[in-house]
Amino acid sequence: MLVADRIDLHYGAAQALWGVSLTAEPGKVTCVLGRNGVGKSSLLRGIVGHHPISGGSLSWEGEDLGSLPPFERARRGIAYVPQGREIFPLLTVRENLLTGFAALPRAQRSLPDTLFELFPVLDAMMDRRGGDLSGGQQQQLAIARALVTRPRLLILDEPTEGIQPSIIKDIGNAIRFLRASGGMAHPAGRAVPGIRARARGQRVGARPGARGGVGDPRGDLAVDLERHMAV
Amino acid sequence: MARAMPLGLGRSGIAFLVIVAAAGVLVPFLNLATPVDSPWHVPTTTVVLFGKYLCFALLALSIDLVWGYCGILSLGHGAFFALGGYAMGMHLMREIGSRGVYGNPVLPDFMVFLNWKELPWYWYGFDQFWFAAIMALLVPGALAFVFGAFAFRSRVTGVYLSIITQAMTFALMLAFFRNDMGLGGNNGLTDFKDVLGFDLQQNATRCGLFALSAAALAAGFLVCRAIVSSKLGKVLVAVRDAESRTRFIGYRVEHFKLFVFTVSAMMAGLAGALYVPQVGIINPGEFAPANSIEAVIWVAVGGRGTLVGAALGARGRQRRQELVHRGASRALAVRARRAVHFRHAVPAEGAARPGRYPPRQAPGAAGGDAGPARNGR
Amino acid sequence: QETIKVGILHSLSGTMAISETTLKDVMLMLIEQQNAKGGLLGKKLEAVVVDPASNWPLFAEKARELIAGEKVAAVFGCWTSVSRKSVLPVFEELNSLLFYPVQYEGEESQRNVFYTGAAPNQQAIPAVDYLRDVEGVTRWVLAGTDYVYPRTTNKILETYLKDSGVPAEDIMINYTPFGHSDWQTIVAEIKKFGSAGKKTAVVSTINGDANVPFYKELANQGIKAEDIPVVAFSVGEEELAGIDTGPLVGHLAAWNYFMSVEAPENAEFIKAWQAFTKNDKRVSNDPMEAHYIGFNMWVKAVEKAGTIDPDAVIDAIVGVAVPNLTGGYSAMMPNHHITKPVLIGEIQGNGQFDVVWKTSGLVVGDEWSDFLPDSKPLIADWRKPMSCGNFNTVTGKCGGKGT
Amino acid sequence: MATGPSLGTVLRRGLVAFALLMGLALPVAADTDSLSARITALATGDFATKEAIIVELAATGDAAAVPALRALGDGDLQIRKADRKVIIAVRDGNRLTAVDPVTGADLGAVESGALERIRVNNNLRRALRAAVGSLTLLSKDVTVRRLAAESVFKSLDPTALETLDQAIQVETDERVRRLMVQARAAAILQTDRPEAEKLEAVAIIADRGDQDARGVLSAVAASSEGEVKDKALASIALIEQSLAMWEAGQNIWYGISLGSVLLLAAIGLAITFGVMGVINMAHGEMVMIGAYVTFAVQEVIRTSAPWLFDASLLIALPLAFLTAGAVGVAIERGIIRWLYGRPLETLLATWGLSLVLQQAVRSIFGPSNREVGAPSWMSGAFELGGLTLTYGRAWIIVFAIMVFALLVVVLKRTAFGLQMRAVTQNRRMASSMGIRTTWVDAMTFGLGSGIAGIAGVALSQIDNVSPNLGQSYIIDSFMVVVFGGVGNLWGTLVGALTLGVVNKFLEPYAGAVLGKILVLVFIILFIQKRPRGMFALKGRAVES
Amino acid sequence: MTELVNSLLYLDGVTVSFDGFRALNNLSMVVARGEMRAIIGPNGAGKTTMMDVITGKTRPDKGDVLFDGSHDLTKLDEAAIAELGIGRKFQRPTVFDSHTVLDNILLALKGPRGVFASLFARLTGDERDRIDTVLATIRLTDRRHELAGRLSHGQKQWLEIGMLLAQDPALLLVDEPAAGMTDAETAETAALLRRIAETHSVVVVEHDMTFVRDLGVRVTVLHEGSVLAEGSLDQVSADDRVIEVYLGR
Ligand SMILES: Nc1ncnc2c1ncn2[C@@H]1O[C@H](COP(=O)(O)OP(=O)(O)OP(=O)(O)O)[C@@H](O)[C@H]1O
Ligand SMILES: Nc1ncnc2c1ncn2[C@@H]1O[C@H](COP(=O)(O)OP(=O)(O)OP(=O)(O)O)[C@@H](O)[C@H]1O
Ligand SMILES: [Mg+2]
Ligand SMILES: [Mg+2]
C-alpha cells in the first residue's frame, strides 16, 4: 500500500503541491484528476522520486520512501510511465525494454509474454531505435518498459496520450486484468477515454493554491470529476 | 525577474558602464598626475596589467554574445582576437621603419635575416594606421563570415561546431608558426616603437591605450546590450533553446547566427588590436586552442548570458591560472624556500580569491539579473 | 638587513617548465653559494622567483614586476627566443640587466642583455666542420622544428655548406611542427636520402619534446650512428634522461659544456648541484653552465663597479672573465656575447655524452652572422664611445643600414 | 639482493667464454701474444691509431680478437687504472667483473671507479663493425654469420674478399650464402677488377633491389665509367621504380599506425565525451597518468626485478587501467556529477583539473621527461616485402584494435554497457528503471579514464613521458571523436584510421606542417558535408 | 488539374522511407482553401511524417508537394515554408523554455523575420493587442511573465497553440492538440479550431474520436503510409478496415 501524507512539493520558490494526501491500495486503481497545471504530474514525480518532496511523508508497503533515490523505489516494485514518454531515444526498442531488468533479481529477467500481445507493434520493431518511433508507438513502449519490471505499483501519467483507440481499449483490459491478478495499485494521471468509464477507485484531487486531499475534491476540480465520472 | 530587458540598461549594466568609464579616466589620471611615491599613484605595471584585462574582457564579452545568447560554443575565438592583434602588429611593425636592427626601411627585421627580398603583398597598406584599424575588424569579421556561412548553412551545431572552431584556430596557429607565412613565425611581431607617432614606452601612451580600451569595452558592451535586448536577441535565445523550432516559425536561423558570429568576431578582433600595442608582442601562441578555451572559461566564471559577468570573469583569469599552477608547485616552492630565503613576488592576497562559480541548483532555481535560466539541453 | 634582489624569470608551469624549472633551481643554488661566501658588496642576495607560465606576454609583465616592483638588480631568465623578445623592451625601458642562458639564433645584441648561451657560430658551424672533416660526411639533412632558431641556423648552415662546395641536391631541409610526435615518414625519408651512396648526416635543430619520439623512431627504424649520424643542438643531458639511449650510441650533440667533461670545477659543480637537489642522479647541462658563468660574471662586475647600478655594471662587465666548467675561462665580449669552447659529444649508453672533439681554442660568440648577407657588415660593441648593437662597418654608422 | 655471482653474471661470463672458445676453435692459429699486444695498444693513442690497429686485427683473420673488438664497440673494453691492463668489464646490475680480453679468464670483481673506458667514435665503430664482420664470417653460428655478412656488405671492404670467398665455399645456409655473395659483389665494386666481373657484381646487387643496393649502386655509378656505370644507372632506375611502389604500401602502414595511435588516444574520450557527453579536457592527463604508471612500474622493475623487464608493459596495463580509472571515478564523484547537462562548467572544471593534474605530476616526478624503455619484443623492425615495419608500431596497432574490440563488446553486449547508455541518455528515467545511476556514472567515467590510462601505456613507447604528454593528444582526440561522429565507437575507429592515413599521404608532398594544416582544413570541410560526423546517427532519435 | 488549382495543399505520390521502411507510401491528398481536414490512423501510420514532409523537415524520396498551386515545398527549407504561411503545432509540445510565455508568443507573431528587421523591431500597439488576445485565448494571461520551461505539460500544449495563433498562417498543421487536455478543454479546442477554419485551412491529427466528431469535418484515415479511407467520421468509422486497424472492436 502506498500512503502519501500531506505532501508539499516546490519548484524552486514556487510551490506546486500543498499538503496532498493519497492512499493507493493493492488491487485497486487510484486516479488523480485535475485540470492543467494543478499538480498531478508533480505528485507522481514526488512518488517516484523524480522530484524531492519538501514536506509530508510517503510510505510504501510500510517502508518510508523518504529520500530513497528513484532506482531504489524501482527495485521495491514501483514502476513509472512519465508524461512525455521519456524513452531512451538511441536505444533500440529491445534495449529500452531490457533496461527494466536492472530492477529485477537475476532469475526474473525475462520479458513478460503478454507484452507483445498487448503491443504487437513493438514486436515488429524490436531493432528500431526508440527515438525513431512515432509518438503513439513511443507511448506504448513506455508502458511496456514499465511492465517489464513486474511492478507492484504501476504509476501512469496520462498513459494513453497519443495511443490509437483500439490499443487504449486493450490497455484498459490489461490493467483490469493485472489488477484482478492481484497486488497492483495504479495511481494514474487523469483518466483518459479508455479507462475512464471503468475507473473505480479512490479519487484524489489537488489544485493550485488550495489544500487538496483525499476525497476532498472542491471547486473546479469537482466539476472535472463529475464530467469524468459521468460517462 | 529573469526576462530579457527592454532596450534600457538595467542596474548592473549601468553600474558596469560607470565603473569602466571611471577606470578609463581615473587610472590614467592617477598614473600620470600623481608622484610615484604618492599613495594614490597607480603604478605603470598596474596600468599595463589592467589594460590587458580590459582587452580580455572585451574578448570575453564577444564570446558571451555568441555562447550565452546564441548557444554557439566557439572554441576558436582566440583566432579572431589574434588576427586583430596581427593586423595591428603589422602596422606597428611598419611603423618601426628604418629603426630596426638592420635599418631596412621597408622590410621588418625577421624578413631581413631570413633573406626576404621584398615585402609580401599582404603587407601592403599596413603602413597606414587607418588601413590596419579597418583590417583588424575586417579580417576577423571576414573569416567569421566565411566560416560561419559554411558551417551554419550546413547546420553544424553543438560540439561539432565547437570542435571545428577549435580546428580552425589550431590550423591558423600552425600556419602562423610557419616562417614561410611571412609573419615572424614563432617569434611573431615584436620590437614595436610607436603608434601614430606616440612612443609606446611612454606612460602617456600607455594611459591613452588604457583609456581607449576602456572606451572600446564600454562601446562593445553597449553594442551587445543593444543586440541582446532587441527582438533579435530574443530570436538568438530561441535558437539556443530550440533551434529547429525557431526555423518552423520562419526565422532563418543561419542568418541570425552568422550575424552575431561576425559581430562577435569583429569585437574580438578589436580587442586583439588594442591588446597588442599594450603587451608589445603578438605571436602564434595567441592562436593556441588553450587560449580560446581559457577565454570561454572567463565567460563561464562570470556567468553565461550575463554580459557584465563575462567582462568581469576575464579579470579573475590570471589569478586563477596562477593559483592552479602554484597550488601544485607549492611542494617545489617549499623545498626551494628551505634552501634560500626567497619569496614569491606575488601579492599576498593571491590565494584568497577563488573564481566566482555561479551556483546553480535545481532547475528553475537559477535566476540572476539578465541571465536566462538554462535547462539542460 | 638590506639585501640585493636577483630576479629569476623562468617558467615553472606550462610547456616550458620541462626545461626551465632546472634553471631556476640552479640560480637558487648559485645564490645560496654566493651568500655562503658572504654575499655581494656586504649584502646578502635574495632570489625573487616569478612564474611566467610559458606565456610570452606574461614574461614581459613579470619582468616589469621584477624590475619596477621588486627592484631587482639583475634578472636571470628566459629560454625561448620569443620570451626574450617579449621582455627586451621592458629591460630597455626600465634599464635593467638580463642574463639569457640558452643557445639561440643570434642576430641580436642589446645593451641590457647578456647572451651566455651559444650563438650559431659557437655550436652549429663547428659541428658541421666536425662531421665533414672527421666523419667524411658529404650529404646533409637539415631537420628542424619550424621556428626561428632552426630557420636561421639552417639558413646559415646552408650558405656555409654551399660556400664550401656542397651541391644543392646534397642538402635536404625539413621542418616539422612543434611537438611533432609521428616521425615515421620523416625518418624513412632520411633513410632514403641517406642511401644515395654518399656519407650522410642529419643536423638536427629539432626542439624540445619532439626529440624523444624522433630518437625513439630512429632507434626503431635501426638508423645507426655509424650509418647516418645525427648531430643535435638542442639535445642535452636533461633531454636524454627521458630516452633509452642504448640504440642511440654514437649520435652526436654540439654544446659548450657536457656533464661528462673532466674538470675540477665541473666535478665540484655537479657535486654541489646533486647535493642541492638531494638527488644523486640529477644531471647538469649546457644552459646551467651558462647561468653559472653569467651569474659569476655579474658578481664580478658588480664587485668591480662597486655598485649594482645597471649602467655601471654594463660598463664594468665587458672584459670580465670567469672560469667556465670545462676547465677554462670565459670572457664577456663587447658584443655582450661570451667566449666558449665548442665540444662535440657522442651519446653513450648511460645517457651521457662522450666528448670526441673540441675546438682548439675559445670561440667568440658572433652576434651577426657572417653567412647572412645583411648581417655580414654589422658588428656590436657596447663599449663607449661606440655603444652600438648594430654598427654597420660599411657605412660607418650605428643602426643597421643607417639610412 | 643476495650476495655472490647472480645468475645473470654467470650467464654473461659464460657467454664471453663461449665466444672465446668458438674463436679458438677456428682453424686459424691464435697468436696470443701479438693479439694481446695489439689489444693493449688500443688503450693508448688517438682515434686514428686505434682505427689502424682495428684494421690490422681484422687483417690477421684471428677470430680470437672478436670478443675484445665487440667489447670495444659496446664500451666494455676498459683499462684497469691500477696496472693499465686492458680488460673486458662485464656488468651485472651493480657488479662489475673484469675478464681477460684474450683468454676470457675471470680477473675478479672491480669497481667502476677503478676503470677507464677506451673511447670510440663513429669512425671506429664503423671499422669495428667491418672487422668483426669479416672475422666472424666463418663462425659456427648461423645468426652470427648472417650478421657478419650484413656488416661486410655495409662496410664495402675489399680486404674481406678473401675471407668471403672462403666463407661462400663452405656456407650451407642458402640465405646467408646469398648475403655473402652480395657482400662479395659490393666489395668487388670497390676494387679494380675486370669490367666483366664488375658487371656481374652489379647484377647481383641489383637483384637485391632494396635501399642498400641503391646506395651501393649509386656510389658505383658516381665513381665508374662506361658499361658498369650504365648498367648501374639502369639498375638504380629499376630499383627506384619498385621502391616507389612499396612506398605507397609504406604510407598506408604509417597511416594505419598513426591512426591506431590516434585511436588509442581518442578511445577513452569516445566514452567520456562520446557516450557521456562530458567535454573532458582532463582526458589527456589520464593518458599521461597511464604513461607515468608505466614509468613507475619499470622503475620498480629496474631496481628490484630486472628479469621482469620484458613483462613490464603487461604488468603496467592493469595497473594503469586501475590507477587512471580510480582517478576518473574520483573526478566523477567529486566534480563531474554536479555538472551534468552544463557543458561550460564541465569544460571549466575539467580544464582546471587538467592543469592541477599536470602540476601535481610535475611536483611528484619532476618536470623533465622520464625514461620508459621498450621491451625487447617491441624493439627493432622486420621486413615484409619491401616494407620495413617496426615491432613497436605493429604491437600498438594490434593493441589498439584489441582495446577497441573489448570496448565494443562491453558497450554492446553487456548489461553494464546497456545501463551506461541508458543513463547517459536520460539519467532520471534510467534511475526509475532501477538502474543505479550514480554507480553507473562513476563506472562509466572510470572506464573511459581507465582506457585512457592503458592508452598511456602504449603511448609511453613512442612519445615523451612528461607532464605535457596529455596536452599533445587532447586536441587530436577531440577531432577524431567528432570526425567519426560523437557517440559512435565505429566512427571513432574509422575516423582515427582515416585521419592517420590522410595525414601520412599528405606528409610526403606537403611536409609535416602543411600536412597537418591540410588535415585540419579537411576536417572542417568534411564536417560541412556531414555535420554530425562520418558515422552520423540519423532520424528523429537524434533530434529528440 | 482543377484540383490543383483550387487546392491549397496538394500531395501526390509522396513516398518516404527510412532505411527501407516506408513511412509514407505513395500518399496523395488534397486540402482545399479554407478547408479543415481531420486525419486519423493507427500509430505509425505516417501522420506526423506527412507533416514533416509538408513543413520541410523531411525530404520525400519521391512525389510532389505543392502549396498554393505553385510552390514546390520539397525544394524549400523550413523557414521558407513557414514564411509561405504554413504553421505547425508539434505532437510533443516544443516551446522556448528560457523565454517567458509572452516572448514565446511575441516571437511567433506574424511580421518580418529578417535579421535587421528583428534588430530594429519595435512592438506596435496592434501587436500588443494581438498578443493579449492570444494569451486570453490560451488562458495564460496571468502567467505571461513566467518562463515557458516552468509550465506543466498541458500548459505547454496550450502555449504552442497560442504560438500558432499568433503566427496566423494560411495553413495550420495541428498534431494531436487535445492530448493531455481535460474534456472541457478538448471541446473548447475543437470550437477554437472551427472558428479558425472559417478563415484558414487546417489539418488536424487526433486520436480522440469525440474531438474529431466535435470538429465535424471530412476525415482521412491513413494506414501504412497511404490513404485507407476518406469521408465523414461516421462513414469511416463504419469501414471494416478502419475498425480492424484503428478503432478496434
Ligand atoms: N528515422 C526513422 N527511422 C525508422 N523509422 C522511422 C523513422 N521515423 C519514423 N519512422 C517510422 O515511421 C512510421 C511513421 O511514423 P509517424 O510518426 O509518421 O506516425 P504517426 O502516424 O504520426 O503515429 P502516431 O499516431 O503514433 O503519432 C512509424 O512506424 C515510425 O516508427
Ligand atoms: N520544472 C518546473 N519548474 C517550475 N515549475 C513547474 C515545473 N514543472 C511544473 N511546474 C509548475 O507546477 C505546477 C504543477 O505542474 P504539473 O506538471 O504537476 O501539472 P499537471 O497537473 O500535471 O498538469 P498537466 O495536466 O498540464 O500535465 C504548474 O503550475 C507548473 O507551472
Ligand atoms: Mg501533467
Ligand atoms: Mg504522430
Side-chain angles (χ1 to χ4, degrees), chain A residues 96-130:
Chain A
N96 263 287
L97 294 174
L98 294 186
T99 53
F101 285 178
L104 295 174
R106 199 163 291 274
Q108 288 181 27
R109 292 185 180 173
S110 64
L111 297 178
D113 312 328
T114 48
L115 217 54
F116 300 117
E117 289 169 23
L118 203 52
F119 306 115
V121 68
L122 297 183
D123 200 14
M125 299 192 168
M126 282 299 263
D127 292 317
R128 192 170 296 182
R129 273 190 305 246

Side-chain angles (χ1 to χ4, degrees), chain C residues 202-220:
Chain C
V202 180
V203 178
S204 153
T205 39
I206 295 163
N207 177 261
D209 282 358
N211 275 304
V212 174
F214 174 61
Y215 280 103
K216 283 186 176 171
E217 190 65 38
L218 278 182
N220 273 338

